[in-house]
Amino acid sequence: MRIAVTGSIATDHLMAFPGSFADQLIAEKLDKVALSFLVDKLEIRRGGVAANIAFGLGCLGLRPVLVGTVGPDFDEYRAWLHAHGVDTTGVCQSVLQHTARFVSTTDNSGGQIASFYPGAMSEDRDIDLGKLHDDIGGFDLALIGASDPEAMFRFTDQCREHSIPFAADTSWQLARMDGDQVKTVVDGAAYLFSNEYEAAMIEQKTGWTPAQVAEHVQIRVTTLGADGARIDQADQPPILVPPLPDAEPSEPTGAGDAFRSGFLAAIAWNLSLERAAQLGNLLAVHALETVGTQEYELKPAPMTERLIRAYGETAATEITACLP
């Protein structure tokens, strides 16, 4: 199964604040908030939702096609992705703008305040996903990840025009979309990915009930943080998959992207939806326990041991049999 992954390609600047954001907020002054946080450390890492997801898929042996726009500062990053099994045929280079930047500060309770500068990503709208599909001999699924909103709309339309199954992953671009725009990128998706908050926002903006959302997509996947993941299909009971019990969180950025990598890899291997969520949870924990979204390593023996502890021998056997 060949998967194209669209969305942001960025450099992450990750900082840690030793206190709590909540303790610094004054409720009656929120309309005039002006805060600066003295942070303890700064980590500069490779990131961007599309690159993170492609990295995880590449580490699992799937050779995903990364799609997006970068700046002239991308050569070292490109070499890193190649070394981890990512096909960058679909990556275009801007002559005007630098690669996107993500700047995030996390407090000691896991709260996060972040900003994102799109840079070259704003040119994603000029990519023709249908033409790329034809040029490289086709792909079986396109994940439409958070990017320039206009690019997301165009990619979704191009998937429909070329009969390419697509997964909708609006994530942080939900805040920029109105109800009709959300419907545009969700309706007809083979998979809809979101966290619990985003799931509620999708329902609020579209006016659809949870049952109606399930009717507009084939499979709805909702990550629940420390509670695992839920999978919904129209007229089917939900599949609830518990989390790994032994997670030791370090930095949350990229955990959701890693989940998508594991989930889609399992789908590519024709495993069940339950197994897909279990592998997704396992990769999410790998990212959660590592500073940097592409710094984790996947080693079969420790992966097997953790799967056995969390989900039992049968699940571990079925999943690890597919690992490269």
Side-chain angles (χ1 to χ4, degrees):
M1 182 177 184
R2 199 170 196 189
I3 301 173
V5 185
T6 78
S8 62
I9 303 169
T11 301
D12 290 347
H13 294 242
L14 308 176
M15 293 167 281
F17 175 60
S20 169
F21 293 143
D23 292 341
Q24 318 307 319
L25 299 175
I26 301 173
E28 59 270 22
K29 294 293 183 180
L30 289 179
D31 61 329
K32 298 180 180 179
V33 64
L35 288 171
S36 176
F37 297 97
L38 180 63
V39 298
D40 280 349
K41 60 183 179 179
L42 166 66
E43 299 278 353
I44 300 177
R45 305 286 184 174
R46 307 168 189 90
V49 295
N52 292 341
I53 295 169
F55 170 84
L57 287 168
C59 289
L60 291 170
L62 266 78
R63 190 68 179 166
V65 180
L66 179 61
V67 180
T69 310
V70 299
D73 52 343
F74 187 66
D75 288 349
E76 184 178 345
Y77 197 166
R78 187 191 302 272
W80 165 267
L81 292 170
H82 283 175
H84 291 84
V86 178
D87 181 348
T88 60
T89 300
V91 176
C92 302
Q93 183 169 305
S94 171
V95 297
L96 300 174
Q97 304 188 76
H98 287 290
T99 303
R101 297 285 188 274
F102 174 70
V103 182
S104 169
T105 303
T106 301
D107 71 6
N108 59 10
S109 62
Q112 193 174 68
I113 295 175
S115 299
F116 187 86
Y117 168 69
M121 189 189 78
S122 60
E123 299 177 26
D124 282 4
R125 64 183 65 184
D126 298 325
I127 297 174
D128 188 332
L129 195 59
K131 184 178 184 301
L132 176 64
H133 174 267
D134 294 338
D135 288 347
I136 67 173
F139 32 83
D140 304 292
L141 178 74
L143 182 138
I144 312 300
S147 175
D148 172 70
E150 185 61 31
M152 297 174 70
F153 305 146
R154 293 186 183 186
F155 289 158
T156 306
D157 287 341
Q158 290 161 6
C159 283
R160 294 186 179 109
E161 291 168 8
H162 291 262
S163 299
I164 304 168
F166 67 94
D169 187 12
T170 54
S171 65
W172 43 266
Q173 285 296 23
L174 269 176
R176 289 285 297 269
M177 298 179 186
D178 61 29
D180 287 340
Q181 291 171 330
V182 175
K183 290 178 180 178
T184 294
V185 297
V186 167
D187 194 26
Y191 302 93
L192 170 61
F193 290 102
S194 63
N195 61 32
E196 202 167 13
Y197 189 86
E198 292 160 356
M201 188 178 291
I202 288 170
E203 293 162 13
Q204 180 189 66
K205 289 201 169 193
T206 60
W208 292 339
T209 65
Q212 289 172 326
V213 174
E215 290 173 356
H216 282 272
V217 302
Q218 294 179 32
I219 297 167
R220 185 182 192 185
V221 184
T222 307
T223 55
L224 307 174
D227 293 324
R230 185 180 71 243
I231 302 169
D232 293 290
Q233 294 174 276
D235 303 320
Q236 298 288 331
I239 300 171
L240 298 172
V241 179
L244 275 73
D246 55 353
E248 298 181 2
S250 178
E251 216 286 331
T253 308
D257 299 333
F259 175 91
R260 287 146 175 77
S261 300
F263 188 96
L264 291 174
I267 294 300
W269 296 332
N270 293 316
L271 297 180
S272 68
L273 293 173
E274 180 183 25
R275 297 288 179 262
Q278 290 167 344
L279 181 57
N281 286 344
L282 178 62
L283 259 71
V285 165
H286 275 73
L288 185 66
E289 294 177 340
T290 308
V291 177
T293 58
Q294 298 176 29
E295 305 302 321
Y296 59 87
E297 296 182 10
L298 301 179
K299 298 180 179 180
M303 290 175 71
T304 301
E305 292 172 4
R306 296 188 81 165
L307 285 167
I308 291 172
R309 290 198 298 270
Y311 304 120
E313 293 275 359
T314 300
T317 299
E318 291 180 9
I319 293 172
T320 55
C322 300
L323 295 177

